């Protein structure tokens, strides 16, 4: 089947989390190289996205955006061409307001010119922010405008809205034409941030779906506190702040694995934010876990439902995502600070042993069959850890 743009949660890499304004032609090319050499492209990652700070502070005399001459001396098209030559797609960033969050020109009142420029440069993806939005203009109108401009640009350009969940975005973003929409403020490289974002979206799963995905922000997997982004490192309420040898912020590999599992099963785009030129073996294993990725990329894009553990409902829960072939993706999560027993009662999935049915489980972390179970599956989950399972309904 042909894959339409934005049909499934987009997968790729974005420059912001690790590099902020320190981006360049060389960095983007190296990211594209790493995407291929590290096996990320083969695992499904596709977009290389250049975030804020790629342009000069002023438009040219004809009102066009100008690539920063020092960072991108050969312009953006040359970089996009290189990314394409690696079998990847190229993304760029602009803003619905007068300026981007870092103070570069925004696309307000230049939407059609900018969309045309991006199309000429070979852009395949536009992340569209919400800073400096004129107060009197409704956000939905601005996203509709850029969507119309992109759709009329003559090139397939994926539209990634980034208004941080503001102004009831859930209600209008699908109609505005975006393929994905940020639903939260910026992520930080800390367990507290991962937990906060995940919990804020488990009751919002009905809003995402094919061609319009709930974007819980870029992944921090593999950052280990290594970024020049002060915000992402500002782990003020994080118990792991200043941990030895990790700088400020940073998570354990267990926490990163749980983060990836949450984003995957909740249907978020999977946009990597670490330095993919220097991934640890654990980072690579987490990001290229094909079983977990396949749950994220299921063609029906159904949001999971949540089943909370009765005696610790806030921190211990399962997310169950029906998949297109009749099986389920199931995540068991312990976001609390103590080991907890999560018991998944199959009755809650509609599977009753009285009807002679049970579940055959497959462990997406060990890549092994876990066996056939009737009535329930129980596991002790260590703090901040998770299990990802695929489940098939079987006759007992
Ligand atoms: C924020 C956005 C971040 C990043 C940044 C760039 O508004 O949420 O993901 O794009 O702007 O300035």
């Amino acid at each position: 089947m042909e894959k339409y743009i934005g049909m499934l949660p987009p997968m790729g890499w974005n420059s912001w989390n690790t590099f902020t304004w320190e981006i360049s032609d060389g960095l983007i090319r190296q990211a594209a190289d790493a995407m291929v050499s590290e096996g990320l492209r083969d695992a499904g990652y596709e977009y290389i996205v250049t975030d804020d700070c790629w342009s000069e502070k002023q438009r040219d005399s004809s009102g066009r955006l100008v690539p920063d001459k020092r960072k991108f001396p050969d312009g953006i098209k040359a970089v996009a061409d290189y990314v394409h030559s690696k079998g990847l797609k190229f993304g760029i960033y602009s803003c619905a307001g007068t300026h981007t969050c870092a103070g570069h020109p925004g696309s307000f009142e230049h939407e059609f010119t900018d969309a045309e420029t991006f199309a000429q440069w070979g852009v395949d993806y536009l992340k569209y922010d919400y800073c400096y939005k004129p107060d009197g203009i409704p956000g939905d109108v601005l996203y509709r405008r850029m969507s119309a401009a992109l759709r009329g640009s003559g090139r397939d350009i994926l539209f990634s809205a980034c208004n941080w969940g503001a102004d009831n975005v859930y209600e209008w973003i699908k109609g505005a034409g975006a393929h994905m929409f940020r639903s939260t403020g910026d992520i930080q490289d800390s367990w507290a941030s991962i937990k906060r974002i995940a919990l804020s979206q488990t009751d919002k799963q009905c809003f995402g779906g094919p061609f319009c995905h709930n974007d819980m922000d870029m992944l921090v997997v593999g950052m280990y506190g290594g970024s020049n982004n002060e915000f992402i490192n500002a782990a003020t309420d994080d118990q792991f702040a200043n941990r030895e040898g990790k700088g400020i912020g940073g998570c354990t590999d267990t926490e990163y694995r749980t983060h990836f599992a949450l984003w995957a099963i909740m249907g978020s785009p999977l946009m990597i934010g670490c330095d993919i030129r220097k991934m640890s073996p654990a980072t690579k294993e987490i990001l290229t876990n094909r079983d977990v990725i396949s749950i994220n990329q299921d063609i029906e894009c159904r949001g999971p439902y949540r089943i909370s553990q009765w005696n610790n409902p806030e921190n211990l829960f399962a997310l169950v995502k029906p998949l297109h072939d009749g099986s389920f993706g199931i995540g068991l999560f312990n976001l609390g600070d103590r080991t907890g027993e999560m018991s998944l009662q199959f009755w809650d999935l509609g599977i009753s042993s009285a009807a002679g049915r049970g579940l055959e489980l497959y462990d997406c972390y060990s890549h092994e069959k876990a066996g056939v179970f009737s009535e329930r599956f129980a596991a002790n989950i260590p703090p901040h850890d998770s299990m990802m399972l695929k489940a098939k309904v079987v006759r007992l």
Side-chain angles (χ1 to χ4, degrees), residues 144 147 151 168-181 205-213 301:
R144 280 184 210 161
S147 170
R151 284 163 194 266
N168 301 320
V169 69
Y170 303 95
E171 292 169 11
W172 48 262
I173 197 65
K174 208 179 246 180
H179 297 101
M180 56 194 265
F181 62 98
Q205 291 299 303
C206 54
F207 297 104
F211 296 105
C212 195
H213 309 279
C301 302

Side-chain angles (χ1 to χ4, degrees), residues 13-29 31 48-55 67-73 76 79 90-93 102 104 228 277:
W13 173 85
N14 175 300
S15 58
W16 184 255
N17 283 0
T18 298
F19 300 98
T20 57
W21 52 86
E22 281 168 28
I23 49 177
S24 65
D25 176 298
L27 173 73
I28 302 302
R29 286 175 197 249
I48 295 279
V49 181
T50 307
D51 208 282
D52 202 354
C53 306
W54 60 267
S55 77
D68 184 303
K69 292 190 182 65
R70 190 180 52 84
K71 297 175 185 171
F72 296 97
I76 295 296
V79 186
F90 178 77
I92 209 163
Y93 164 99
H104 295 258
N228 69 358
R277 300 168 306 176

Side-chain angles (χ1 to χ4, degrees), residues 132-396:
Y132 302 106
K133 179 185 83 69
D135 256 356
I137 309 223
D140 54 350
V141 172
L142 295 181
Y143 279 96
R144 280 184 210 161
R145 254 196 220 174
M146 187 46 106
S147 170
L150 293 173
R151 284 163 194 266
S153 72
R155 192 176 167 86
D156 279 344
I157 301 180
L158 186 145
F159 190 26
S160 159
C162 176
N163 90 329
W164 327 298
D167 299 337
N168 301 320
V169 69
Y170 303 95
E171 292 169 11
W172 48 262
I173 197 65
K174 208 179 246 180
H179 297 101
M180 56 194 265
F181 62 98
R182 273 279 297 281
S183 52
T184 69
D186 287 13
I187 195 169
Q188 294 175 280
D189 185 13
S190 73
W191 173 250
S193 174
I194 290 167
K195 178 172 171 176
R196 195 183 313 118
I197 290 179
L199 290 177
S200 78
Q201 296 307 306
T202 55
D203 64 346
K204 302 277 196 313
Q205 291 299 303
C206 54
F207 297 104
F211 296 105
C212 195
H213 309 279
N214 181 336
D215 175 7
M216 291 158 55
D217 203 359
M218 280 89 76
L219 299 164
V220 293
V221 175
M223 291 185 68
Y224 303 111
S227 165
N228 69 358
N229 185 337
E230 279 176 28
F231 181 79
I232 213 156
N233 280 341
T236 43
D237 57 352
D238 181 1
Q239 59 185 310
F240 294 109
N242 289 317
R243 88 168 65 177
E244 213 181 317
K246 297 253 185 201
I248 301 172
C251 301
T252 64
D253 288 328
T254 297
E255 290 165 345
Y256 285 140
R257 183 171 73 170
T258 296
H259 164 38
F260 190 68
L262 284 161
W263 266 233
I265 199 163
M266 291 170 81
S268 178
L270 300 176
M271 301 300 292
I272 301 171
C274 71
D275 185 346
I276 53 176
R277 300 168 306 176
K278 306 184 204 157
M279 285 185 290
S280 71
T283 297
K284 210 158 130 175
E285 187 183 329
I286 293 167
L287 293 174
T288 59
N289 186 321
R290 283 176 164 69
D291 288 317
V292 176
I293 290 173
S294 72
I295 292 173
N296 177 262
Q297 295 288 299
D298 186 74
I299 198 161
E300 290 192 0
C301 302
R302 292 186 190 277
Y305 51 90
R306 174 171 169 167
I307 300 171
S308 297
Q309 175 71 17
W310 64 277
N311 54 359
N312 189 355
E314 171 76 0
N315 286 316
L316 208 51
F317 56 88
L319 294 175
V320 181
K321 173 172 165 151
L323 304 176
H324 77 277
D325 62 355
S327 64
F328 299 92
I330 301 176
L332 305 181
F333 298 98
N334 180 2
L335 305 192
D337 298 331
R338 256 167 293 170
T339 295
E341 190 191 69
M342 174 75 212
S343 175
L344 183 70
Q345 308 298 118
F346 296 170
W347 191 88
D348 290 327
L349 282 70
I351 316 285
S352 106
S353 61
R357 300 294 190 279
L359 290 178
E360 184 181 277
L361 300 180
Y362 170 88
D363 183 331
C364 298
Y365 291 162
S366 67
H367 310 288
E368 280 165 6
K369 284 192 173 165
V372 172
F373 296 80
S374 70
E375 235 168 336
R376 70 177 203 147
F377 174 76
N380 283 322
I381 318 249
H384 306 184
D385 208 346
S386 51
M387 285 186 83
M388 280 290 267
L389 303 165
K390 280 193 189 175
K392 236 200 265 174
V393 182
V394 290
R395 282 176 195 277
L396 292 169

Side-chain angles (χ1 to χ4, degrees), residues 64-120:
R64 295 206 175 247
L65 290 166
V66 184
D68 184 303
K69 292 190 182 65
R70 190 180 52 84
K71 297 175 185 171
F72 296 97
D74 299 326
I76 295 296
K77 183 161 191 316
V79 186
D81 287 349
Y82 184 79
V83 170
H84 293 148
S85 77
K86 296 276 153 182
L88 298 166
K89 293 184 173 168
F90 178 77
I92 209 163
Y93 164 99
S94 188
C95 184
T98 58
H99 291 81
T100 73
C101 304
H104 295 258
S107 290
F108 178 66
E109 299 288 44
H110 293 86
E111 292 86 355
F112 285 82
T113 312
D114 290 354
E116 192 178 84
T117 305
F118 297 146
Q120 280 163 4

